[in-house]
Amino acid sequence: MHVKLILPSLQEAGSPDWRPIKYSLFPPLGLATLAAYLDPSDQIELVDQHVETLHTDDCPDLVIIQVYITSAKRAYQIADHYRAKGCYVCLGGLHVTSLPDEATLHADSIFLGPGEDTFPQFLLDFHKRTPQKRYQSTLRTLATLPPIRRDLIKRQHYLVPNSIVVSRGCPYHCSFCYKDAFFEHGRSFYTQKVDAALAEIERLPGKHLYFLDDHLLGDPRFASQLFSGMRGMGRLFQGASTVNAILKGNLIEQAADAGLRSIFIGFESLAADSLSFSNKAQNLGRDYAAAIQRLDSLGIKINGSFVFGLDGDAPDVFERTVDWAVAQGLTTATFHIATPYPGTEYYQQMQAQGRLITQDWDLYNTRHVVFEPRSMSRTQLKEGYDWAYQAFYSWANIAKASQNHAAFNQRLRHFAYSAGWKKAEPVWNFMIQHQLLSPMLQVLETVLDGRTPQPKPRNRDVLEKVL
């Protein structure tokens, strides 16, 4: 049969703030994973609307659409278009799981939660002509996961085509996390078998990998065995972790020996009351500076994530956070306006307190204020968020942050990585338009590589003043 898998572009694709490179990083791995359950004789098409044109003049037997909150309107329009043609349409993803009653109006079948158990069952039902309206995931295992259909991915469109996920979910439950509702009715964190994960890595060409797992170090035993198996592969990779996992044991050293060169960390806030409010217990009482120093001594770059607008945040939060991030020498920073996503504890809190000001899902992209802040005005929150990005990525602060590394080559690589990410938009746009991202991957590998492990001295007085 003819099957079409679609990742609709997010609403912000049409906004002045659109950064093409940000959405040309990773291919739609979730859809490629589902495609692995289809029959090899099926005619399969995978379309990522962020990097290619979606043509809707065809009439597939089966259309499968992945839905995020800010792509929901576009996803529903595409779904309605194909249903009007008589195509069988399935919707799944984070937004569908959060608001199933909304999504079911636009689909023949919807999928709630991960699809490893429900999608194979749907295919059996579909071929018997008895498909169900809803499929709710309850069995959580990756033991029978088939090899991902990477042949369907158009690698030339992505800077990081070698993205990989070896686990699902997260062991923690932050109140604002969009993914918590996605893993209801079953385990919220589980991993592949180590041998299966290593086999998937072996299938990937080239040198660079990006682990898209929410918490790559979340299962210490699994992570330790994974890193042990990766030693000697000659890989460079990036991933995500929490502060407490970096401070505990020697797992981060094992990761560095296996090729970890950059890590995403959700610091979220410097204030204990804001962390407590968002149920970020894994950060409470942790020594951020010690974790950063440990990573820097291993030559691992840091992308720090911060959330503004939590109930413990006052108008001074923006300057304090940027000053701290620069003083700590973070390579990159990702800032967000607190956003109460449907299905989260945070959304329920804001709704119960009457503080939601809109349910226009297009605005739920962490760049707009969609609720009433407690300790500042909406205008202060939005303007402070915009200022934080401009300030952190100013040439002066890029240079200043890069100096907070002991080794000269690390300073140089920091400057190249940070400036290249935010200051080279015309170059990135040219590369994307002319499908030249593959050569840029070699540049990324060069900037990531070359760690020089050595301890880094820090001025405690300066840090305490900033905090």
Side-chain angles (χ1 to χ4, degrees):
M1 60 180 176
H2 179 194
V3 183
K4 191 166 189 174
L5 302 104
I6 303 171
L7 181 65
S9 59
L10 302 180
Q11 179 275 337
E12 48 264 41
S15 78
D17 298 325
W18 175 248
R19 296 190 71 225
I21 184 56
K22 184 177 180 181
Y23 297 95
S24 299
L25 292 177
F26 312 115
L29 206 59
L31 291 176
T33 301
L34 292 184
Y37 292 101
L38 295 167
D39 193 279
S41 64
D42 289 336
Q43 177 190 345
I44 307 171
E45 181 183 6
L46 194 162
V47 182
D48 179 357
Q49 201 179 14
H50 297 98
V51 299
E52 58 189 310
T53 302
L54 172 65
H55 298 286
T56 59
D57 54 355
D58 54 351
C59 192
D61 300 293
L62 180 61
V63 177
I64 302 163
I65 304 175
Q66 185 173 2
V67 187
Y68 294 107
I69 191 166
T70 59
S71 70
K73 289 182 181 179
R74 183 172 283 119
Y76 294 157
Q77 290 170 356
I78 297 169
D80 293 344
H81 169 81
Y82 276 113
R83 291 185 80 199
K85 286 187 169 188
C87 306
Y88 197 96
V89 175
C90 299
L91 298 179
L94 296 172
H95 189 68
V96 173
T97 303
S98 298
L99 294 173
D101 291 341
E102 175 187 291
T104 198
L105 299 175
H106 305 276
D108 297 295
S109 291
I110 63 172
F111 296 86
L112 310 181
E116 291 89 11
D117 62 328
T118 54
F119 191 64
Q121 182 59 52
F122 161 76
L123 291 176
L124 291 174
D125 296 342
F126 184 73
H127 287 298
K128 292 188 297 184
R129 302 184 186 278
T130 58
Q132 304 300 307
K133 189 68 176 176
R134 294 191 185 193
Y135 288 85
Q136 172 70 67
S137 168
T138 55
L139 177 64
R140 303 289 163 79
T141 179
L142 299 175
T144 58
L145 188 71
I148 297 169
R149 286 293 304 272
R150 293 185 181 272
D151 57 301
L152 299 173
I153 293 172
K154 304 173 183 69
R155 293 177 60 88
Q156 71 275 15
H157 289 311
Y158 302 98
L159 178 63
V160 187
N162 282 354
S163 58
I164 183 171
V165 179
V166 295
S167 65
R168 298 288 188 273
C170 179
Y172 301 105
H173 304 279
C174 304
S175 65
F176 53 72
C177 183
Y178 196 9
K179 295 186 178 181
D180 225 28
F182 191 68
F183 290 96
E184 284 184 345
H185 307 287
R187 286 193 295 169
S188 60
F189 181 64
Y190 50 107
T191 69
Q192 277 187 288
K193 297 292 185 183
V194 174
D195 288 345
L198 291 172
E200 180 66 17
I201 292 171
E202 289 279 15
R203 283 190 285 269
L204 294 171
K207 187 176 184 179
H208 178 265
L209 306 175
Y210 201 115
F211 287 91
L212 294 174
D213 303 72
D214 294 314
H215 189 358
L216 183 58
L217 279 62
D219 182 331
R221 182 178 178 182
F222 168 83
S224 178
Q225 293 176 357
L226 178 70
F227 300 145
S228 177
M230 290 181 66
R231 288 188 64 182
M233 284 188 175
R235 298 286 193 173
L236 296 175
F237 65 94
Q238 299 170 264
S241 178
T242 57
V243 174
N244 59 329
I246 291 166
L247 291 171
K248 187 176 181 180
N250 68 337
L251 195 55
I252 195 64
E253 282 79 11
Q254 294 179 48
D257 288 341
L260 178 65
R261 296 295 181 268
S262 170
I263 197 160
F264 176 94
I265 302 176
F267 294 108
E268 315 309 4
S269 178
L270 305 179
D273 50 353
S274 291
L275 293 174
S276 180
F277 170 77
S278 58
N279 197 34
K280 195 81 177 180
Q282 64 271 28
N283 281 21
L284 281 169
R286 308 297 178 184
D287 189 339
Y288 285 4
I292 292 168
Q293 184 171 354
R294 191 170 191 177
L295 291 169
D296 192 58
S297 71
L298 295 168
I300 299 173
K301 296 170 180 59
I302 303 171
N303 176 15
S305 176
F306 301 91
V307 177
F308 296 134
L310 298 170
D311 277 8
D313 290 345
D316 67 341
V317 67
F318 310 106
E319 186 172 357
R320 285 193 304 108
T321 302
V322 170
D323 286 350
W324 182 86
V326 172
Q328 290 288 320
L330 300 192
T331 311
T332 55
T334 306
F335 302 109
H336 310 270
I337 293 175
T339 302
Y341 292 116
T344 64
E345 180 184 342
Y346 188 33
Y347 181 89
Q348 295 171 1
Q349 288 176 316
M350 295 297 102
Q351 189 176 49
Q353 295 172 17
R355 293 168 62 187
L356 294 176
I357 59 177
T358 181
Q359 289 190 323
D360 180 353
W361 306 137
D362 283 354
L363 301 179
Y364 278 62
N365 57 10
T366 76
R367 292 201 295 272
H368 292 86
V369 182
V370 297
F371 72 105
E372 195 65 57
R374 171 154 291 171
S375 303
M376 67 182 86
S377 70
R378 301 178 204 170
T379 300
Q380 284 176 309
L381 178 51
K382 172 59 176 171
E383 291 181 350
Y385 160 82
D386 291 337
W387 175 88
Y389 260 120
Q390 294 169 3
F392 181 83
Y393 287 104
S394 67
W395 283 113
N397 276 337
I398 290 174
K400 184 177 179 181
S402 68
Q403 294 303 308
N404 284 291
H405 304 281
F408 175 76
N409 75 324
Q410 290 298 85
R411 297 177 190 174
L412 188 61
R413 293 173 192 278
H414 174 124
F415 189 90
Y417 193 104
S418 183
W421 177 238
K422 271 292 185 179
K423 296 295 189 180
E425 292 301 311
V427 176
W428 286 120
N429 293 343
F430 177 86
M431 293 293 178
I432 292 168
Q433 290 167 9
H434 293 83
Q435 296 188 15
L436 296 173
L437 285 180
S438 295
M440 293 303 294
L441 177 57
Q442 298 173 11
V443 176
L444 173 63
E445 291 176 355
T446 300
V447 173
L448 284 174
D449 205 1
R451 68 188 181 111
T452 306
Q454 54 182 292
K456 171 183 174 183
R458 291 193 171 272
N459 188 328
R460 281 286 179 180
D461 294 335
V462 172
L463 293 179
E464 289 172 3
K465 182 178 179 181
V466 172
L467 287 171

PDB file of all heavy atoms in Angstrom, residues 287 289-290 292-293 296 323-324 326-329 400 403-406 455-467:
ATOM      1  N   ASP A 287      25.421  21.689  43.224  1.00  0.00           N
ATOM      2  CA  ASP A 287      26.466  22.687  42.985  1.00  0.00           C
ATOM      3  C   ASP A 287      26.658  22.828  41.476  1.00  0.00           C
ATOM      4  O   ASP A 287      27.411  22.078  40.859  1.00  0.00           O
ATOM      5  CB  ASP A 287      27.760  22.246  43.668  1.00  0.00           C
ATOM      6  CG  ASP A 287      28.825  23.334  43.656  1.00  0.00           C
ATOM      7  OD1 ASP A 287      28.737  24.247  42.808  1.00  0.00           O
ATOM      8  OD2 ASP A 287      29.757  23.256  44.486  1.00  0.00           O
ATOM      9  N   ALA A 289      28.206  25.076  39.804  1.00  0.00           N
ATOM     10  CA  ALA A 289      29.577  25.441  39.448  1.00  0.00           C
ATOM     11  C   ALA A 289      30.488  24.222  39.435  1.00  0.00           C
ATOM     12  O   ALA A 289      31.361  24.086  38.565  1.00  0.00           O
ATOM     13  CB  ALA A 289      30.108  26.493  40.420  1.00  0.00           C
ATOM     14  N   ALA A 290      30.280  23.309  40.390  1.00  0.00           N
ATOM     15  CA  ALA A 290      31.107  22.100  40.440  1.00  0.00           C
ATOM     16  C   ALA A 290      30.849  21.216  39.221  1.00  0.00           C
ATOM     17  O   ALA A 290      31.781  20.624  38.656  1.00  0.00           O
ATOM     18  CB  ALA A 290      30.822  21.329  41.723  1.00  0.00           C
ATOM     19  N   ILE A 292      29.821  22.233  36.269  1.00  0.00           N
ATOM     20  CA  ILE A 292      30.394  22.915  35.101  1.00  0.00           C
ATOM     21  C   ILE A 292      31.908  22.761  35.078  1.00  0.00           C
ATOM     22  O   ILE A 292      32.510  22.498  34.029  1.00  0.00           O
ATOM     23  CB  ILE A 292      29.985  24.397  35.112  1.00  0.00           C
ATOM     24  CG1 ILE A 292      28.478  24.518  34.863  1.00  0.00           C
ATOM     25  CG2 ILE A 292      30.773  25.189  34.072  1.00  0.00           C
ATOM     26  CD1 ILE A 292      27.913  25.887  35.125  1.00  0.00           C
ATOM     27  N   GLN A 293      32.528  22.883  36.223  1.00  0.00           N
ATOM     28  CA  GLN A 293      33.986  22.739  36.298  1.00  0.00           C
ATOM     29  C   GLN A 293      34.397  21.323  35.900  1.00  0.00           C
ATOM     30  O   GLN A 293      35.404  21.128  35.199  1.00  0.00           O
ATOM     31  CB  GLN A 293      34.483  23.056  37.701  1.00  0.00           C
ATOM     32  CG  GLN A 293      36.005  23.016  37.825  1.00  0.00           C
ATOM     33  CD  GLN A 293      36.485  23.551  39.158  1.00  0.00           C
ATOM     34  OE1 GLN A 293      35.695  24.059  39.945  1.00  0.00           O
ATOM     35  NE2 GLN A 293      37.781  23.443  39.404  1.00  0.00           N
ATOM     36  N   ASP A 296      34.098  21.058  32.143  1.00  0.00           N
ATOM     37  CA  ASP A 296      35.131  21.838  31.469  1.00  0.00           C
ATOM     38  C   ASP A 296      36.480  21.135  31.545  1.00  0.00           C
ATOM     39  O   ASP A 296      37.267  21.169  30.596  1.00  0.00           O
ATOM     40  CB  ASP A 296      35.217  23.230  32.086  1.00  0.00           C
ATOM     41  CG  ASP A 296      36.059  24.176  31.251  1.00  0.00           C
ATOM     42  OD1 ASP A 296      35.727  24.368  30.063  1.00  0.00           O
ATOM     43  OD2 ASP A 296      37.051  24.705  31.770  1.00  0.00           O
ATOM     44  N   ASP A 323      24.438  36.963  33.361  1.00  0.00           N
ATOM     45  CA  ASP A 323      25.742  37.200  33.980  1.00  0.00           C
ATOM     46  C   ASP A 323      26.349  35.892  34.483  1.00  0.00           C
ATOM     47  O   ASP A 323      27.549  35.639  34.315  1.00  0.00           O
ATOM     48  CB  ASP A 323      25.610  38.185  35.138  1.00  0.00           C
ATOM     49  CG  ASP A 323      25.386  39.621  34.670  1.00  0.00           C
ATOM     50  OD1 ASP A 323      25.530  39.878  33.461  1.00  0.00           O
ATOM     51  OD2 ASP A 323      25.060  40.475  35.514  1.00  0.00           O
ATOM     52  N   TRP A 324      25.516  35.080  35.099  1.00  0.00           N
ATOM     53  CA  TRP A 324      26.002  33.807  35.625  1.00  0.00           C
ATOM     54  C   TRP A 324      26.443  32.871  34.496  1.00  0.00           C
ATOM     55  O   TRP A 324      27.510  32.249  34.569  1.00  0.00           O
ATOM     56  CB  TRP A 324      24.886  33.147  36.450  1.00  0.00           C
ATOM     57  CG  TRP A 324      25.298  31.841  37.076  1.00  0.00           C
ATOM     58  CD1 TRP A 324      25.932  31.664  38.263  1.00  0.00           C
ATOM     59  CD2 TRP A 324      25.078  30.534  36.528  1.00  0.00           C
ATOM     60  NE1 TRP A 324      26.124  30.323  38.505  1.00  0.00           N
ATOM     61  CE2 TRP A 324      25.616  29.611  37.456  1.00  0.00           C
ATOM     62  CE3 TRP A 324      24.485  30.056  35.361  1.00  0.00           C
ATOM     63  CZ2 TRP A 324      25.583  28.236  37.232  1.00  0.00           C
ATOM     64  CZ3 TRP A 324      24.456  28.678  35.129  1.00  0.00           C
ATOM     65  CH2 TRP A 324      24.988  27.787  36.070  1.00  0.00           C
ATOM     66  N   VAL A 326      27.473  33.586  31.515  1.00  0.00           N
ATOM     67  CA  VAL A 326      28.716  34.082  30.906  1.00  0.00           C
ATOM     68  C   VAL A 326      29.896  33.817  31.836  1.00  0.00           C
ATOM     69  O   VAL A 326      30.960  33.348  31.404  1.00  0.00           O
ATOM     70  CB  VAL A 326      28.601  35.582  30.576  1.00  0.00           C
ATOM     71  CG1 VAL A 326      29.951  36.146  30.135  1.00  0.00           C
ATOM     72  CG2 VAL A 326      27.559  35.809  29.491  1.00  0.00           C
ATOM     73  N   ALA A 327      29.724  34.116  33.127  1.00  0.00           N
ATOM     74  CA  ALA A 327      30.804  33.901  34.094  1.00  0.00           C
ATOM     75  C   ALA A 327      31.182  32.435  34.193  1.00  0.00           C
ATOM     76  O   ALA A 327      32.348  32.095  34.442  1.00  0.00           O
ATOM     77  CB  ALA A 327      30.384  34.427  35.467  1.00  0.00           C
ATOM     78  N   GLN A 328      30.224  31.550  33.979  1.00  0.00           N
ATOM     79  CA  GLN A 328      30.493  30.112  34.044  1.00  0.00           C
ATOM     80  C   GLN A 328      31.103  29.579  32.750  1.00  0.00           C
ATOM     81  O   GLN A 328      31.545  28.439  32.699  1.00  0.00           O
ATOM     82  CB  GLN A 328      29.191  29.364  34.334  1.00  0.00           C
ATOM     83  CG  GLN A 328      28.655  29.576  35.741  1.00  0.00           C
ATOM     84  CD  GLN A 328      29.496  28.867  36.781  1.00  0.00           C
ATOM     85  OE1 GLN A 328      29.945  27.742  36.572  1.00  0.00           O
ATOM     86  NE2 GLN A 328      29.730  29.520  37.901  1.00  0.00           N
ATOM     87  N   GLY A 329      31.073  30.373  31.698  1.00  0.00           N
ATOM     88  CA  GLY A 329      31.663  29.946  30.436  1.00  0.00           C
ATOM     89  C   GLY A 329      30.809  28.966  29.667  1.00  0.00           C
ATOM     90  O   GLY A 329      31.347  28.126  28.926  1.00  0.00           O
ATOM     91  N   LYS A 400      33.876  37.036  26.236  1.00  0.00           N
ATOM     92  CA  LYS A 400      34.102  36.946  27.683  1.00  0.00           C
ATOM     93  C   LYS A 400      33.904  35.522  28.177  1.00  0.00           C
ATOM     94  O   LYS A 400      34.713  35.008  28.970  1.00  0.00           O
ATOM     95  CB  LYS A 400      33.138  37.901  28.399  1.00  0.00           C
ATOM     96  CG  LYS A 400      33.341  37.985  29.908  1.00  0.00           C
ATOM     97  CD  LYS A 400      32.392  39.016  30.508  1.00  0.00           C
ATOM     98  CE  LYS A 400      32.550  39.101  32.024  1.00  0.00           C
ATOM     99  NZ  LYS A 400      31.601  40.099  32.600  1.00  0.00           N
ATOM    100  N   GLN A 403      36.705  33.082  27.417  1.00  0.00           N
ATOM    101  CA  GLN A 403      37.922  33.222  28.218  1.00  0.00           C
ATOM    102  C   GLN A 403      37.870  32.431  29.520  1.00  0.00           C
ATOM    103  O   GLN A 403      38.884  32.295  30.210  1.00  0.00           O
ATOM    104  CB  GLN A 403      38.176  34.705  28.529  1.00  0.00           C
ATOM    105  CG  GLN A 403      38.509  35.541  27.304  1.00  0.00           C
ATOM    106  CD  GLN A 403      39.710  35.010  26.548  1.00  0.00           C
ATOM    107  OE1 GLN A 403      40.770  34.792  27.136  1.00  0.00           O
ATOM    108  NE2 GLN A 403      39.538  34.791  25.252  1.00  0.00           N
ATOM    109  N   ASN A 404      36.685  31.893  29.865  1.00  0.00           N
ATOM    110  CA  ASN A 404      36.553  31.153  31.108  1.00  0.00           C
ATOM    111  C   ASN A 404      36.899  29.678  30.930  1.00  0.00           C
ATOM    112  O   ASN A 404      36.257  28.789  31.509  1.00  0.00           O
ATOM    113  CB  ASN A 404      35.124  31.293  31.646  1.00  0.00           C
ATOM    114  CG  ASN A 404      34.887  32.645  32.279  1.00  0.00           C
ATOM    115  OD1 ASN A 404      35.427  32.956  33.332  1.00  0.00           O
ATOM    116  ND2 ASN A 404      34.099  33.475  31.613  1.00  0.00           N
ATOM    117  N   HIS A 405      37.901  29.410  30.112  1.00  0.00           N
ATOM    118  CA  HIS A 405      38.439  28.065  29.934  1.00  0.00           C
ATOM    119  C   HIS A 405      39.948  28.151  30.085  1.00  0.00           C
ATOM    120  O   HIS A 405      40.575  29.096  29.597  1.00  0.00           O
ATOM    121  CB  HIS A 405      38.082  27.490  28.549  1.00  0.00           C
ATOM    122  CG  HIS A 405      36.612  27.475  28.262  1.00  0.00           C
ATOM    123  ND1 HIS A 405      35.770  26.517  28.777  1.00  0.00           N
ATOM    124  CD2 HIS A 405      35.832  28.302  27.515  1.00  0.00           C
ATOM    125  CE1 HIS A 405      34.533  26.758  28.360  1.00  0.00           C
ATOM    126  NE2 HIS A 405      34.544  27.833  27.590  1.00  0.00           N
ATOM    127  N   ALA A 406      40.516  27.174  30.748  1.00  0.00           N
ATOM    128  CA  ALA A 406      41.957  27.230  31.029  1.00  0.00           C
ATOM    129  C   ALA A 406      42.792  27.018  29.768  1.00  0.00           C
ATOM    130  O   ALA A 406      43.821  27.663  29.582  1.00  0.00           O
ATOM    131  CB  ALA A 406      42.316  26.172  32.078  1.00  0.00           C
ATOM    132  N   PRO A 455      42.212  20.743  34.992  1.00  0.00           N
ATOM    133  CA  PRO A 455      41.347  21.483  35.915  1.00  0.00           C
ATOM    134  C   PRO A 455      41.304  22.962  35.584  1.00  0.00           C
ATOM    135  O   PRO A 455      42.242  23.512  35.007  1.00  0.00           O
ATOM    136  CB  PRO A 455      41.997  21.237  37.287  1.00  0.00           C
ATOM    137  CG  PRO A 455      43.417  20.889  36.975  1.00  0.00           C
ATOM    138  CD  PRO A 455      43.390  20.170  35.658  1.00  0.00           C
ATOM    139  N   LYS A 456      40.204  23.576  35.963  1.00  0.00           N
ATOM    140  CA  LYS A 456      39.999  24.990  35.651  1.00  0.00           C
ATOM    141  C   LYS A 456      39.856  25.801  36.928  1.00  0.00           C
ATOM    142  O   LYS A 456      38.952  25.558  37.717  1.00  0.00           O
ATOM    143  CB  LYS A 456      38.735  25.114  34.792  1.00  0.00           C
ATOM    144  CG  LYS A 456      38.266  26.524  34.550  1.00  0.00           C
ATOM    145  CD  LYS A 456      36.969  26.451  33.759  1.00  0.00           C
ATOM    146  CE  LYS A 456      36.367  27.805  33.594  1.00  0.00           C
ATOM    147  NZ  LYS A 456      35.081  27.746  32.897  1.00  0.00           N
ATOM    148  N   PRO A 457      40.727  26.773  37.169  1.00  0.00           N
ATOM    149  CA  PRO A 457      40.590  27.621  38.362  1.00  0.00           C
ATOM    150  C   PRO A 457      39.391  28.537  38.241  1.00  0.00           C
ATOM    151  O   PRO A 457      39.047  28.986  37.165  1.00  0.00           O
ATOM    152  CB  PRO A 457      41.899  28.428  38.363  1.00  0.00           C
ATOM    153  CG  PRO A 457      42.306  28.465  36.931  1.00  0.00           C
ATOM    154  CD  PRO A 457      41.873  27.154  36.340  1.00  0.00           C
ATOM    155  N   ARG A 458      38.731  28.802  39.373  1.00  0.00           N
ATOM    156  CA  ARG A 458      37.558  29.667  39.344  1.00  0.00           C
ATOM    157  C   ARG A 458      37.624  30.669  40.484  1.00  0.00           C
ATOM    158  O   ARG A 458      38.123  30.379  41.574  1.00  0.00           O
ATOM    159  CB  ARG A 458      36.266  28.858  39.454  1.00  0.00           C
ATOM    160  CG  ARG A 458      36.020  28.043  38.205  1.00  0.00           C
ATOM    161  CD  ARG A 458      34.612  27.496  38.192  1.00  0.00           C
ATOM    162  NE  ARG A 458      34.359  26.904  36.898  1.00  0.00           N
ATOM    163  CZ  ARG A 458      33.884  27.583  35.862  1.00  0.00           C
ATOM    164  NH1 ARG A 458      33.601  28.842  35.975  1.00  0.00           N
ATOM    165  NH2 ARG A 458      33.688  26.987  34.704  1.00  0.00           N
ATOM    166  N   ASN A 459      37.114  31.847  40.245  1.00  0.00           N
ATOM    167  CA  ASN A 459      37.063  32.911  41.238  1.00  0.00           C
ATOM    168  C   ASN A 459      35.749  32.799  41.993  1.00  0.00           C
ATOM    169  O   ASN A 459      34.702  33.199  41.510  1.00  0.00           O
ATOM    170  CB  ASN A 459      37.172  34.269  40.536  1.00  0.00           C
ATOM    171  CG  ASN A 459      37.314  35.401  41.545  1.00  0.00           C
ATOM    172  OD1 ASN A 459      36.770  35.330  42.650  1.00  0.00           O
ATOM    173  ND2 ASN A 459      38.046  36.432  41.165  1.00  0.00           N
ATOM    174  N   ARG A 460      35.789  32.217  43.182  1.00  0.00           N
ATOM    175  CA  ARG A 460      34.566  31.979  43.955  1.00  0.00           C
ATOM    176  C   ARG A 460      33.866  33.287  44.327  1.00  0.00           C
ATOM    177  O   ARG A 460      32.642  33.360  44.369  1.00  0.00           O
ATOM    178  CB  ARG A 460      34.883  31.209  45.229  1.00  0.00           C
ATOM    179  CG  ARG A 460      35.073  29.721  44.988  1.00  0.00           C
ATOM    180  CD  ARG A 460      33.743  29.064  44.723  1.00  0.00           C
ATOM    181  NE  ARG A 460      33.887  27.647  44.462  1.00  0.00           N
ATOM    182  CZ  ARG A 460      32.895  26.845  44.199  1.00  0.00           C
ATOM    183  NH1 ARG A 460      31.674  27.319  44.101  1.00  0.00           N
ATOM    184  NH2 ARG A 460      33.087  25.555  43.978  1.00  0.00           N
ATOM    185  N   ASP A 461      34.642  34.339  44.604  1.00  0.00           N
ATOM    186  CA  ASP A 461      34.034  35.599  44.994  1.00  0.00           C
ATOM    187  C   ASP A 461      33.153  36.151  43.877  1.00  0.00           C
ATOM    188  O   ASP A 461      32.051  36.645  44.113  1.00  0.00           O
ATOM    189  CB  ASP A 461      35.115  36.613  45.358  1.00  0.00           C
ATOM    190  CG  ASP A 461      35.882  36.214  46.609  1.00  0.00           C
ATOM    191  OD1 ASP A 461      35.294  35.473  47.399  1.00  0.00           O
ATOM    192  OD2 ASP A 461      37.045  36.636  46.763  1.00  0.00           O
ATOM    193  N   VAL A 462      33.625  36.056  42.650  1.00  0.00           N
ATOM    194  CA  VAL A 462      32.860  36.552  41.501  1.00  0.00           C
ATOM    195  C   VAL A 462      31.569  35.737  41.349  1.00  0.00           C
ATOM    196  O   VAL A 462      30.484  36.287  41.145  1.00  0.00           O
ATOM    197  CB  VAL A 462      33.708  36.488  40.209  1.00  0.00           C
ATOM    198  CG1 VAL A 462      32.828  36.815  39.002  1.00  0.00           C
ATOM    199  CG2 VAL A 462      34.861  37.458  40.295  1.00  0.00           C
ATOM    200  N   LEU A 463      31.703  34.419  41.477  1.00  0.00           N
ATOM    201  CA  LEU A 463      30.523  33.571  41.300  1.00  0.00           C
ATOM    202  C   LEU A 463      29.475  33.847  42.372  1.00  0.00           C
ATOM    203  O   LEU A 463      28.288  33.911  42.086  1.00  0.00           O
ATOM    204  CB  LEU A 463      30.941  32.087  41.352  1.00  0.00           C
ATOM    205  CG  LEU A 463      31.817  31.588  40.186  1.00  0.00           C
ATOM    206  CD1 LEU A 463      32.172  30.134  40.388  1.00  0.00           C
ATOM    207  CD2 LEU A 463      31.068  31.778  38.879  1.00  0.00           C
ATOM    208  N   GLU A 464      29.939  34.001  43.601  1.00  0.00           N
ATOM    209  CA  GLU A 464      28.995  34.254  44.678  1.00  0.00           C
ATOM    210  C   GLU A 464      28.299  35.600  44.491  1.00  0.00           C
ATOM    211  O   GLU A 464      27.103  35.748  44.771  1.00  0.00           O
ATOM    212  CB  GLU A 464      29.718  34.210  46.024  1.00  0.00           C
ATOM    213  CG  GLU A 464      30.135  32.780  46.415  1.00  0.00           C
ATOM    214  CD  GLU A 464      31.010  32.765  47.655  1.00  0.00           C
ATOM    215  OE1 GLU A 464      31.237  33.846  48.238  1.00  0.00           O
ATOM    216  OE2 GLU A 464      31.461  31.674  48.049  1.00  0.00           O
ATOM    217  N   LYS A 465      29.030  36.588  43.981  1.00  0.00           N
ATOM    218  CA  LYS A 465      28.437  37.905  43.729  1.00  0.00           C
ATOM    219  C   LYS A 465      27.355  37.795  42.664  1.00  0.00           C
ATOM    220  O   LYS A 465      26.284  38.398  42.773  1.00  0.00           O
ATOM    221  CB  LYS A 465      29.532  38.881  43.300  1.00  0.00           C
ATOM    222  CG  LYS A 465      29.015  40.301  43.063  1.00  0.00           C
ATOM    223  CD  LYS A 465      30.154  41.234  42.686  1.00  0.00           C
ATOM    224  CE  LYS A 465      29.615  42.651  42.427  1.00  0.00           C
ATOM    225  NZ  LYS A 465      30.706  43.567  42.038  1.00  0.00           N
ATOM    226  N   VAL A 466      27.638  37.039  41.585  1.00  0.00           N
ATOM    227  CA  VAL A 466      26.665  36.868  40.512  1.00  0.00           C
ATOM    228  C   VAL A 466      25.428  36.162  41.011  1.00  0.00           C
ATOM    229  O   VAL A 466      24.299  36.531  40.699  1.00  0.00           O
ATOM    230  CB  VAL A 466      27.307  36.099  39.323  1.00  0.00           C
ATOM    231  CG1 VAL A 466      26.243  35.758  38.286  1.00  0.00           C
ATOM    232  CG2 VAL A 466      28.397  36.945  38.690  1.00  0.00           C
ATOM    233  N   LEU A 467      25.633  35.107  41.809  1.00  0.00           N
ATOM    234  CA  LEU A 467      24.486  34.338  42.317  1.00  0.00           C
ATOM    235  C   LEU A 467      23.694  35.126  43.338  1.00  0.00           C
ATOM    236  O   LEU A 467      22.503  34.920  43.472  1.00  0.00           O
ATOM    237  CB  LEU A 467      24.996  33.027  42.952  1.00  0.00           C
ATOM    238  CG  LEU A 467      25.485  31.966  41.965  1.00  0.00           C
ATOM    239  CD1 LEU A 467      26.150  30.826  42.718  1.00  0.00           C
ATOM    240  CD2 LEU A 467      24.323  31.439  41.140  1.00  0.00           C
TER     241      LEU A 467
END
